[in-house]
């Protein structure tokens, strides 16, 4: 459960840190970032996980999402993990949507991925244990989860499968139905084999329809100038699943915004307030 400090830098009265540890689940070294708000000097603070999308590391959101100012105001700890195992000995392909940088937050069962690609267990079990053991201010009874695109898929599915752990959820332009889009139709069989019942365990629409509604509102923001919206993201499928199950959903569609971090930074404050509203109630 030990970890190494890469850097710690003052930000809005708190500290933006980058850290490294050896992840047993993934059999490689992993980096993650933690924003520690100033309130952490006085006591425990709620924890918000941010899961990034395809091609990302822990760095993309940390430097581009602009969460530090409002996280400081609200007293939220923000944790950004990497999106896959990496490094020598970890399998990869020269494709942006599979392999390193594209872990899809699943526990792979297929060769050669199964040995390292266990991002579901890493994010839900190992990394939280590292945080709980080393960051005393983290209130692990008050955790929320958000993410972008592939990370939005991660946020929705991890939330639905672990409602005892995560109390709040939101997503920026998430993949909501990987079984029904090309990114997911490549990743799910690639990592999990050919059984659709196993894929459905990692599909937010399928999970919501199977598990039923949860007692908290889900916030999703989607840009209407997002080139991936029609072919990959299909927010209307999640809207349908929410309507069918009676799930409270705030799905906001924004004219002119694309898939990138200028979009995320624009609406980040609303997401932080959404999570703080639930986690500090
Ligand atoms: N290179 C790819 C697109 C890669 C891309 O857009 N990645 C997004 C996430 S997409 C879904 O998970 C991202 O967040 N990129 C990093 C960033 O800092 O913007 C292509 O050519 O289509």
């Amino acid at each position: 459960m030990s970890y190494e400090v890469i850097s710690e830098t003052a930000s809005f009265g708190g500290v933006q840190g980058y850290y490294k540890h050896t992840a047993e689940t993934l059999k490689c070294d992993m980096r993650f970032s933690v924003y520690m708000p100033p309130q952490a000097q006085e006591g425990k603070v709620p924890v918000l996980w941010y899961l990034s999308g395809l091609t990302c590391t822990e760095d993309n959101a940390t430097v581009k999402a602009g969460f530090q100012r409002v996280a400081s105001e609200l007293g939220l700890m923000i944790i950004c993990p990497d999106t896959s195992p990496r490094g020598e000995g970890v399998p990869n392909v020269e494709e942006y949507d599979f392999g390193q940088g594209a872990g899809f937050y699943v526990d792979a069962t297929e060769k050669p991925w199964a040995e390292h690609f266990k991002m579901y267990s890493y994010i839900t079990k190992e990394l939280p244990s590292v945080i709980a053991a080393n960051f005393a201010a983290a209130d692990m009874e008050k955790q929320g989860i958000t993410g972008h695109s592939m990370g939005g898929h991660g946020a929705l599915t991890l939330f639905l499968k672990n409602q005892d752990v995560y109390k709040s959820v939101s997503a920026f332009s998430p993949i909501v139905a990987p079984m029904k889009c090309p990114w997911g139709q490549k990743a799910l069989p690639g990592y999990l084999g050919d059984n659709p019942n196993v894929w459905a365990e990692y599909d937010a629409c399928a999970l919501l329809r199977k598990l039923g509604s949860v007692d908290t509102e889900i916030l999703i923001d989607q840009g209407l100038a997002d080139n991936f919206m029609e072919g990959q993201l299909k927010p209307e499928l999640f809207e349908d699943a929410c309507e069918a199950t009676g799930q409270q959903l705030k799905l906001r569609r924004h004219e002119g915004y694309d898939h990138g971090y200028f979009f995320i930074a624009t609406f980040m404050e609303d997401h932080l307030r959404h999570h703080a509203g639930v986690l500090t109630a």
Side-chain angles (χ1 to χ4, degrees):
M1 289 299 153
S2 65
Y3 75 111
E4 235 174 82
V5 179
I6 298 169
S7 66
E8 289 186 328
T9 310
S11 175
F12 292 98
V15 176
Q16 180 60 66
Y18 284 88
Y19 307 93
K20 184 174 139 177
H21 73 129
T22 300
E24 287 171 20
T25 319
L26 306 178
K27 298 187 184 157
C28 67
D29 287 350
M30 291 292 283
R31 295 166 63 119
F32 59 95
S33 80
V34 176
Y35 178 70
M36 192 68 76
Q39 294 82 346
Q41 290 162 23
E42 309 298 329
K44 287 194 177 282
V45 293
V47 173
L48 178 62
W49 297 86
Y50 179 96
L51 304 183
S52 271
L54 294 166
T55 73
C56 291
T57 68
E58 77 291 346
D59 202 37
N60 297 68
T62 307
V63 300
K64 295 206 285 191
F67 52 67
Q68 287 86 359
R69 180 181 60 82
V70 178
S72 164
E73 178 200 320
L74 299 173
L76 288 176
M77 183 184 300
I78 313 281
I79 304 174
C80 300
D82 201 347
T83 56
S84 78
R86 292 180 195 273
E88 220 174 290
V90 177
N92 198 14
V93 283
E94 288 295 317
E95 292 161 28
Y96 81 94
D97 56 0
F98 196 71
Q100 293 187 31
F104 270 86
Y105 306 100
V106 304
D107 279 352
T109 54
E110 298 305 289
K111 284 184 180 169
W113 311 103
E115 193 184 348
H116 296 273
F117 281 68
K118 304 280 188 195
M119 285 302 287
Y120 177 80
S121 291
Y122 175 67
I123 300 291
T124 59
K125 296 189 186 76
E126 184 170 357
L127 193 51
S129 300
V130 171
I131 298 295
N134 295 290
F135 295 81
D139 188 344
M140 303 309 276
E141 299 301 312
K142 293 181 179 169
Q143 296 184 65
I145 190 161
T146 186
H148 170 230
S149 198
M150 175 187 74
H153 141 77
L156 293 171
T157 54
L158 268 54
F159 170 79
L160 289 168
K161 287 158 76 81
N162 299 277
Q163 293 172 35
D164 52 331
V165 175
Y166 306 110
K167 308 291 190 289
S168 58
V169 66
S170 73
F172 300 88
S173 38
I175 302 168
V176 298
M179 290 166 76
K180 294 185 177 160
C181 78
W183 280 337
Q185 286 162 345
K186 177 176 178 178
L188 297 179
Y191 291 132
L192 302 170
D194 56 11
N195 183 349
N197 293 328
V198 178
W199 307 340
E201 286 298 308
Y202 295 104
D203 181 297
C205 286
L207 278 170
L208 183 61
R209 287 178 186 275
K210 179 176 133 188
L211 299 173
S213 64
V214 298
D215 193 20
T216 187
E217 184 177 68
I218 299 175
L219 170 64
I220 293 180
D221 278 310
Q222 173 65 56
L224 290 173
D226 181 334
N227 289 334
F228 296 123
M229 186 177 72
E230 284 182 16
Q232 302 279 8
L233 307 175
K234 309 185 185 211
E236 66 281 0
L237 296 181
F238 198 66
E239 215 166 26
D240 292 347
C242 287
E243 200 172 310
T245 55
Q247 173 61 44
Q248 286 174 266
L249 170 70
K250 187 186 278 184
L251 169 58
R252 308 188 303 184
R253 294 175 165 91
H254 304 281
E255 288 287 350
Y257 287 92
D258 68 13
H259 197 63
Y261 268 85
F262 291 122
F263 158 69
I264 295 170
T266 302
F267 298 104
M268 178 55 78
E269 175 166 356
D270 295 352
H271 285 245
L272 299 188
R273 293 194 187 284
H274 166 82
H275 287 276
V278 177
L279 298 175
T280 60

Coordinates of all heavy atoms in Angstrom, one line a residue, residues 49-80:
W49 N -14.0 10.8 -7.6 CA -13.2 10.1 -8.6 C -13.5 10.6 -10.0 O -14.7 10.7 -10.4 CB -13.5 8.6 -8.6 CG -13.1 7.9 -7.3 CD1 -13.9 7.8 -6.2 CD2 -11.8 7.3 -7.0 NE1 -13.2 7.2 -5.2 CE2 -11.9 6.8 -5.7 CE3 -10.7 7.1 -7.7 CZ2 -10.9 6.2 -5.0 CZ3 -9.6 6.5 -7.1 CH2 -9.7 6.0 -5.7
Y50 N -12.5 10.9 -10.8 CA -12.7 11.4 -12.2 C -12.0 10.4 -13.1 O -10.8 10.2 -13.0 CB -12.1 12.8 -12.4 CG -12.3 13.2 -13.8 CD1 -13.3 14.1 -14.2 CD2 -11.4 12.8 -14.8 CE1 -13.5 14.4 -15.6 CE2 -11.5 13.2 -16.2 CZ -12.6 14.0 -16.5 OH -12.8 14.3 -17.8
L51 N -12.8 9.7 -13.9 CA -12.2 8.7 -14.8 C -12.1 9.3 -16.2 O -13.1 9.8 -16.8 CB -13.1 7.4 -14.9 CG -13.4 6.8 -13.5 CD1 -14.2 5.5 -13.7 CD2 -12.1 6.5 -12.8
S52 N -10.9 9.2 -16.8 CA -10.7 9.8 -18.1 C -11.0 8.9 -19.3 O -11.3 7.7 -19.1 CB -9.2 10.2 -18.2 OG -9.0 11.5 -17.7
G53 N -11.0 9.5 -20.5 CA -11.3 8.8 -21.7 C -10.2 8.2 -22.5 O -9.0 8.2 -22.0
L54 N -10.5 7.7 -23.6 CA -9.5 7.1 -24.5 C -8.3 8.0 -24.7 O -8.4 9.2 -25.0 CB -10.1 6.8 -25.9 CG -11.3 5.8 -25.9 CD1 -12.0 5.8 -27.2 CD2 -10.7 4.4 -25.6
T55 N -7.1 7.4 -24.7 CA -5.8 8.0 -24.9 C -5.3 8.8 -23.7 O -4.2 9.4 -23.8 CB -5.8 9.0 -26.2 OG1 -6.5 10.2 -25.9 CG2 -6.3 8.3 -27.4
C56 N -6.1 8.9 -22.7 CA -5.7 9.8 -21.6 C -4.9 9.1 -20.5 O -4.9 7.9 -20.4 CB -7.0 10.4 -20.9 SG -7.9 11.5 -21.9
T57 N -4.2 9.9 -19.7 CA -3.6 9.5 -18.5 C -4.2 10.2 -17.3 O -5.2 11.0 -17.5 CB -2.1 9.8 -18.5 OG1 -1.9 11.2 -18.4 CG2 -1.4 9.3 -19.8
E58 N -3.6 10.1 -16.2 CA -4.1 10.9 -15.0 C -3.9 12.4 -15.2 O -4.5 13.2 -14.5 CB -3.3 10.5 -13.7 CG -1.9 11.0 -13.6 CD -0.9 10.5 -14.6 OE1 -1.2 9.5 -15.3 OE2 0.3 11.1 -14.7
D59 N -3.1 12.8 -16.2 CA -2.7 14.2 -16.4 C -3.8 15.0 -17.1 O -3.9 16.2 -16.8 CB -1.4 14.2 -17.2 CG -0.7 15.5 -17.0 OD1 -0.7 16.1 -15.8 OD2 -0.1 16.0 -17.9
N60 N -4.5 14.4 -18.1 CA -5.4 15.3 -18.9 C -6.4 16.1 -18.1 O -6.4 17.3 -18.3 CB -6.2 14.4 -19.9 CG -5.3 13.6 -20.8 OD1 -4.5 12.8 -20.4 ND2 -5.3 14.0 -22.1
A61 N -7.2 15.5 -17.2 CA -8.1 16.2 -16.5 C -7.5 17.1 -15.4 O -7.9 18.2 -15.2 CB -9.1 15.3 -15.8
T62 N -6.4 16.6 -14.9 CA -5.7 17.4 -13.8 C -5.2 18.8 -14.3 O -5.4 19.8 -13.6 CB -4.5 16.6 -13.3 OG1 -4.9 15.3 -12.9 CG2 -3.9 17.3 -12.1
V63 N -4.8 18.8 -15.6 CA -4.3 20.1 -16.1 C -5.3 20.8 -17.0 O -5.2 22.0 -17.1 CB -3.0 19.9 -16.9 CG1 -1.9 19.4 -16.1 CG2 -3.1 19.1 -18.2
K64 N -6.3 20.1 -17.5 CA -7.2 20.8 -18.4 C -8.7 20.9 -18.0 O -9.4 21.7 -18.5 CB -7.2 20.0 -19.8 CG -5.9 20.0 -20.4 CD -6.0 19.8 -21.9 CE -6.3 18.5 -22.4 NZ -6.1 18.3 -23.8
A65 N -9.1 20.2 -16.9 CA -10.5 20.2 -16.6 C -10.9 21.4 -15.7 O -12.0 21.8 -15.5 CB -11.0 18.9 -15.9
G66 N -9.9 22.0 -15.0 CA -10.1 23.2 -14.3 C -10.9 23.0 -13.0 O -11.7 23.9 -12.6
F67 N -10.7 21.9 -12.3 CA -11.6 21.6 -11.2 C -11.0 22.2 -9.8 O -11.7 22.2 -8.8 CB -11.8 20.1 -11.0 CG -10.6 19.2 -11.0 CD1 -9.6 19.3 -9.9 CD2 -10.3 18.3 -12.0 CE1 -8.5 18.5 -9.9 CE2 -9.2 17.5 -12.0 CZ -8.3 17.6 -10.9
Q68 N -9.8 22.6 -9.8 CA -9.2 22.9 -8.5 C -9.8 24.1 -7.8 O -10.0 24.0 -6.6 CB -7.7 23.3 -8.7 CG -6.8 22.0 -9.0 CD -6.8 21.7 -10.5 OE1 -7.4 22.3 -11.3 NE2 -6.0 20.6 -10.9
R69 N -10.2 25.1 -8.5 CA -10.8 26.3 -7.8 C -12.1 25.9 -7.0 O -12.2 26.2 -5.9 CB -11.1 27.5 -8.8 CG -11.7 28.7 -8.1 CD -12.0 29.8 -9.1 NE -13.0 29.4 -10.1 CZ -14.3 29.4 -9.9 NH1 -14.8 29.8 -8.8 NH2 -15.1 29.0 -10.9
V70 N -13.0 25.3 -7.7 CA -14.3 24.9 -7.1 C -14.1 23.8 -6.1 O -14.8 23.7 -5.1 CB -15.4 24.7 -8.2 CG1 -16.7 24.3 -7.5 CG2 -15.5 25.9 -9.0
A71 N -13.2 22.8 -6.4 CA -13.0 21.8 -5.4 C -12.5 22.4 -4.1 O -12.8 21.9 -3.0 CB -12.0 20.8 -6.0
S72 N -11.7 23.4 -4.2 CA -11.1 24.1 -3.1 C -12.3 24.8 -2.3 O -12.4 24.6 -1.1 CB -10.1 25.1 -3.5 OG -9.8 26.1 -2.5
E73 N -13.2 25.4 -3.0 CA -14.3 26.1 -2.4 C -15.2 25.1 -1.6 O -15.6 25.3 -0.5 CB -15.1 26.9 -3.4 CG -16.4 27.5 -2.8 CD -17.4 27.9 -3.9 OE1 -17.0 28.3 -5.0 OE2 -18.6 27.7 -3.6
L74 N -15.5 23.9 -2.3 CA -16.4 23.0 -1.8 C -15.8 22.0 -0.8 O -16.5 21.2 -0.2 CB -17.1 22.2 -3.0 CG -17.9 23.1 -3.9 CD1 -18.4 22.2 -5.1 CD2 -19.1 23.7 -3.2
G75 N -14.5 21.9 -0.8 CA -13.9 20.9 0.1 C -13.9 19.5 -0.5 O -14.2 18.6 0.3
L76 N -13.7 19.4 -1.8 CA -13.8 18.0 -2.4 C -12.3 17.6 -2.7 O -11.6 18.3 -3.3 CB -14.6 18.1 -3.7 CG -16.1 18.2 -3.6 CD1 -16.6 18.3 -5.1 CD2 -16.7 17.0 -2.9
M77 N -12.0 16.3 -2.4 CA -10.8 15.7 -2.9 C -11.1 15.1 -4.2 O -12.0 14.4 -4.4 CB -10.4 14.6 -1.9 CG -9.0 14.0 -2.2 SD -8.6 12.6 -1.1 CE -8.6 13.4 0.5
I78 N -10.2 15.4 -5.2 CA -10.5 14.9 -6.6 C -9.3 13.9 -6.9 O -8.1 14.3 -6.9 CB -10.5 16.0 -7.6 CG1 -11.4 17.2 -7.2 CG2 -10.9 15.4 -9.0 CD1 -12.8 17.0 -7.3
I79 N -9.7 12.7 -7.3 CA -8.7 11.7 -7.7 C -8.8 11.4 -9.1 O -9.9 11.0 -9.6 CB -8.8 10.4 -6.8 CG1 -8.8 10.8 -5.3 CG2 -7.7 9.4 -7.2 CD1 -9.1 9.6 -4.4
C80 N -7.7 11.5 -9.9 CA -7.7 11.1 -11.3 C -6.7 10.0 -11.5 O -5.5 10.2 -11.4 CB -7.2 12.3 -12.2 SG -8.2 13.8 -12.0

